[in-house]
Amino acid sequence: QTLNMKLLLLSIILSIASGSQVSLRDFQFGFCEESTPKPLTIEVATIEPFPIPLVTGTVLDVNVLFTLDEICPVGTTVKMDMSLQGLITIPIPCLEVDGISLGSCEYGIDDLLTAGAELLCPTLPAGQDCNLPLNPGSYGGNIMFEFPEINPLIGELLAAGTY
């Protein structure tokens, strides 16, 4: 048990030390488990520049294309499970930092559409309102996103390893 605690502490220290580069170097996306419903197919998901420098003013070119295979009804949420990968996989709980929920959180699709309307609404198919329900079809496109001022705690959390 003492050895496990030392390994855990070492992996946390190494994660924090690597965070001094302040860039998001690796990410993976997909469905958590085989039994998870798959209401959409991700066709393209790219981010430039990569690795992502977590610096205020950095402009990201995000290209996401997906096909929604069924209606996404009112009340739909998306859950993100985030964990730090290393010698030991460490689950990251949902944390509230400056009014932003980060980590393993659940988000309402309508809330995301409202908060990101300026960026997300233009990527919806013609005739689709920018709220739920979302109808089956092709969604996405290029989004240019500029980082606002980044809380150092958020930057360090995201830059501290492979998730």
Side-chain angles (χ1 to χ4, degrees), residues 3-150:
L3 178 61
N4 286 342
M5 290 304 289
K6 287 180 181 177
L7 286 173
L8 178 61
L9 183 58
L10 177 62
S11 66
I12 291 170
I13 290 169
L14 290 174
S15 300
I16 292 169
S18 71
S20 62
Q21 295 177 12
V22 192
S23 67
L24 183 59
R25 295 175 303 284
D26 191 17
F27 74 99
Q28 296 176 353
F29 64 90
F31 297 98
C32 296
E33 300 172 8
E34 282 298 315
S35 62
T36 301
K38 295 170 183 60
L40 60 89
T41 304
I42 299 170
E43 309 292 339
V44 175
T46 62
I47 300 173
E48 294 291 333
F50 197 83
I52 301 168
L54 296 175
V55 177
T56 300
T58 296
V59 176
L60 296 181
D61 181 1
V62 180
N63 186 17
V64 177
L65 297 172
F66 65 92
T67 301
L68 187 59
D69 298 320
E70 55 190 66
I71 291 176
C72 182
V74 173
T76 299
T77 60
V78 61
K79 184 174 188 311
M80 183 168 77
D81 289 324
M82 187 174 181
S83 59
L84 178 62
Q85 304 296 309
L87 293 174
I88 303 169
T89 300
I90 303 170
I92 306 297
C94 186
L95 304 170
E96 181 100 8
V97 179
D98 287 347
I100 299 172
S101 296
L102 296 172
S104 299
C105 304
E106 191 164 333
Y107 304 94
I109 300 287
D110 260 332
D111 295 334
L112 295 174
L113 288 170
T114 299
E118 184 178 317
L119 296 172
L120 298 176
C121 295
T123 68
L124 302 181
Q128 173 64 59
D129 290 335
C130 195
N131 55 33
L132 296 179
L134 296 177
N135 294 310
S138 294
Y139 289 77
N142 270 62
I143 298 171
M144 301 300 283
F145 174 79
E146 183 176 339
F147 278 123
E149 187 170 335
I150 299 170

